[in-house]
């Protein structure tokens, strides 16, 4: 089940006895746990929230806790973290976990407890019996959002904060910040404090309050350069230098973006969808979407020339043949000279 659907059910008071969370987005796991705790306990008070890690605690203790009636009545939330028994990775500290007892509990959970099992891993071992059993419970997929889910999540955040955010502002926010949900949540909180209840967030407010990430600065830098707006590209570059960003790091990000352009052009010719490209390249779909809008400004030959120039620039800097600040400036000038190489 998707994160958004699980959150909606929790907000509506539909609490399940067992939740199995997996995926690389720990922010989503923490958010769902907090929502469960608020609904079950009526607050974020953690006196009836018991947390275990199977890295240093036997699983038996967690199950025994879930089976035990809460002190002073009410309900309790039992969290089992780092549940790597659903992966194929080797156990560093060998502990004799009783999986049969967990299997029994999954079949007959306590009505007085909510058991949350967290596996913060990208891949699960689907062959394992315990993996199959846990996936029969309420599963929460804590995986990176696609574009549609990101937009829906931002809309939900805005509604919770009693403000409105325009479609253009949502896109602009993701362009500025990227797809880090923790950072997006922080920016949404800042925006809500600025516009207040019933306020409207538009593109101008995003420009006013939200700073670009380094990756987004580099993306904008390339965008200005390919549009022959070299002065604006150099302004961004020197602003990054003032922020103590290393020219070699900026160069590496420029080269990475150029490689993404080339890879997406190749995959587009093979009729890959943007979702398939994102999966193959291990990129967020929004990154693929933005790159797809820029890639056709380059011919393949010129992209390869630029990648070679980036490699030569890296070598010239590291071998001491060129000053690093000047070397990256010259690469930007070459990038801005692409007019005769682009597709008409």
């Amino acid at each position: 089940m998707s994160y958004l659907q699980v959150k909606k059910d929790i907000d509506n008071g539909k609490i399940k006895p067992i939740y199995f969370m997996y995926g690389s987005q720990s922010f989503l796991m923490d958010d769902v746990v907090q929502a469960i705790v608020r609904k079950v306990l009526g607050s974020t008070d953690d006196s009836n929230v018991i947390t275990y890690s199977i890295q240093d605690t036997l699983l038996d203790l967690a199950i025994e806790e879930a089976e035990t009636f809460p002190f002073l009545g009410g309900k309790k939330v039992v969290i089992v973290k780092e549940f790597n028994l659903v992966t194929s990775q080797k156990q560093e500290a060998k502990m004799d976990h009783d999986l049969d007892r967990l299997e029994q509990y999954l079949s007959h959970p306590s009505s007085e407890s909510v058991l949350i099992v967290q596996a913060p891993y990208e891949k699960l071992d689907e062959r394992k019996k315990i993996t199959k059993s846990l996936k029969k419970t309420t599963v929460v997929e804590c995986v990176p959002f696609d574009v549609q889910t990101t937009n829906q999540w931002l809309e939900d955040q805005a509604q919770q904060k009693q403000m409105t955010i325009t479609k253009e502002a949502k896109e602009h926010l993701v362009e500025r910040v990227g797809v880090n949900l923790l950072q997006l949540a922080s920016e949404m909180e800042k925006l809500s404090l600025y516009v207040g209840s019933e306020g409207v967030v538009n593109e101008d407010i995003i420009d006013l309050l939200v700073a670009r990430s380094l990756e987004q600065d580099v993306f904008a830098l390339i965008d200005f350069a390919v549009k022959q707006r070299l002065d604006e590209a150099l302004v961004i570059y020197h602003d990054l230098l003032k922020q103590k960003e290393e020219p070699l790091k900026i160069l590496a990000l420029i080269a990475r973006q150029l490689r993404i352009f080339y890879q997406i052009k190749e995959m587009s010719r093979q009729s890959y969808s943007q979702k398939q490209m994102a999966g193959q390249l291990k990129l967020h779909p929004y990154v693929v979407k933005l790159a797809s809008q820029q890639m056709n400004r380059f011919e393949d030959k010129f992209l390869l020339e630029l990648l070679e120039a980036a490699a030569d620039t890296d070598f010239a800097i590291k071998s001491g043949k060129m000053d690093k600040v000047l070397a990256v400036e010259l690469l930007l000038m070459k990038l801005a000279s692409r007019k005769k190489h682009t597709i008409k």
Side-chain angles (χ1 to χ4, degrees):
M1 190 179 294
S2 72
Y3 156 84
L4 290 177
Q5 184 58 55
V6 171
K7 274 296 295 292
K8 183 178 180 180
D9 287 349
I10 293 170
D11 291 341
N12 290 332
K14 299 177 182 177
I15 305 297
K16 303 296 184 180
I18 302 169
Y19 290 88
F20 174 49
M21 305 179 182
Y22 75 92
S24 59
Q25 301 297 300
S26 58
F27 170 78
L28 297 182
M29 289 190 184
D30 293 342
D31 193 42
V32 172
V33 168
Q34 290 175 19
I36 292 171
V37 170
R38 284 194 298 268
K39 273 296 178 184
V40 172
L41 304 181
S43 68
T44 55
D45 175 36
D46 60 0
S47 58
N48 269 335
V49 179
I50 303 92
T51 303
Y52 297 92
S53 169
I54 66 165
Q55 304 300 308
D56 52 32
T57 305
L58 284 172
L59 185 58
D60 284 21
L61 293 177
I63 302 305
E64 184 177 336
E65 183 67 54
E67 292 173 337
T68 304
F69 283 99
F71 185 63
L72 297 179
K75 283 196 173 187
K76 68 169 71 170
V77 177
V78 179
I79 305 169
V80 180
K81 291 190 169 186
E82 300 171 45
F83 196 83
N84 59 1
L85 301 178
V86 290
T87 71
S88 56
Q89 71 181 47
K90 292 183 178 179
Q91 309 297 311
E92 294 182 5
K94 188 66 176 177
M95 302 188 74
D96 190 17
H97 294 293
D98 188 350
L99 289 178
D100 288 338
R101 187 169 182 188
L102 175 58
E103 292 270 6
Q104 292 170 7
Y105 185 87
L106 297 180
S107 300
H108 301 90
S110 169
S111 60
E112 308 300 325
S113 302
V114 176
L115 176 66
I116 301 172
V117 180
Q118 297 182 331
Y121 313 104
E122 287 187 15
K123 293 184 178 180
L124 304 179
D125 190 339
E126 303 286 352
R127 301 167 299 177
K128 290 189 173 183
K129 181 182 177 183
I130 190 60
T131 305
K132 295 175 182 177
S133 297
L134 281 166
K135 293 193 79 171
K136 292 178 182 177
T137 66
T138 302
V139 178
V140 188
E141 298 174 349
C142 299
V143 297
F145 288 167
D146 57 21
V147 176
Q148 182 179 353
T149 308
T150 301
N151 285 333
Q152 183 59 56
W153 180 81
L154 288 172
E155 191 64 39
D156 290 348
Q157 289 285 304
Q159 289 178 6
Q160 289 174 23
K161 300 177 189 310
Q162 298 182 323
M163 67 179 186
T164 301
I165 182 168
T166 67
K167 177 177 180 291
E168 294 76 17
K170 284 188 286 188
E171 292 180 356
H172 201 35
L173 176 61
V174 175
E175 287 173 7
R176 282 267 168 137
V177 175
V179 291
N180 183 307
L181 290 178
L182 184 59
Q183 192 172 352
L184 281 173
S186 175
E187 295 296 343
M188 288 294 285
E189 180 65 26
K190 181 168 64 178
L191 290 166
S192 72
L193 292 173
Y194 182 81
V195 301
S197 180
E198 308 302 326
V200 178
V201 177
N202 56 30
E203 288 182 277
D204 291 339
I205 292 175
I206 300 294
D207 283 332
L208 178 65
L209 296 181
V210 181
R212 282 191 299 252
S213 65
L214 174 58
E215 289 79 7
Q216 297 306 311
D217 270 327
V218 169
F219 193 92
L221 180 153
I222 294 173
D223 189 46
F224 281 132
V226 299
K227 292 175 179 175
Q228 277 93 51
R229 293 159 66 179
L230 181 60
D231 288 348
E232 291 168 274
L234 291 175
V235 166
I236 293 177
Y237 175 53
H238 284 281
D239 281 345
L240 291 174
L241 295 178
K242 289 175 185 176
Q243 295 168 27
K244 306 299 181 184
E245 295 292 351
E246 264 295 314
L248 274 171
K249 184 176 182 180
I250 296 170
L251 174 62
L253 289 171
I254 292 173
R256 174 181 178 270
Q257 190 61 52
L258 293 173
R259 280 195 299 273
I260 290 172
F261 288 155
Y262 188 79
Q263 290 167 328
I264 289 177
K265 280 176 72 71
E266 281 293 312
M267 296 177 82
S268 293
R269 277 192 286 266
Q270 298 174 38
S271 300
Y272 278 76
S273 67
Q274 289 189 6
K275 183 177 181 180
Q276 289 172 324
M277 292 180 200
Q280 289 284 329
L281 300 176
K282 298 190 183 304
L283 297 171
H284 191 279
Y286 205 88
V287 175
V288 173
K289 178 183 176 182
L290 292 177
S292 297
Q293 294 169 354
Q294 277 197 345
M295 66 179 185
N296 287 328
R297 293 184 180 137
F298 301 95
E299 286 183 339
D300 293 355
K301 180 182 177 182
F302 190 51
L303 266 177
L304 291 173
E305 287 177 5
L306 288 173
L307 283 167
E308 185 176 353
D312 290 342
T313 301
D314 183 75
F315 176 77
I317 293 172
K318 291 178 178 177
S319 62
K321 293 180 179 179
M322 290 186 70
D323 173 74
K324 56 187 178 181
V325 174
L326 177 60
V328 176
E329 280 189 3
L330 291 175
L331 178 64
L332 291 175
M333 292 177 186
K334 182 174 179 62
L335 184 60
S337 72
R338 101 293 174 230
K339 186 172 183 180
K340 66 186 179 205
H341 300 276
T342 52
I343 297 172
K344 302 297 185 183

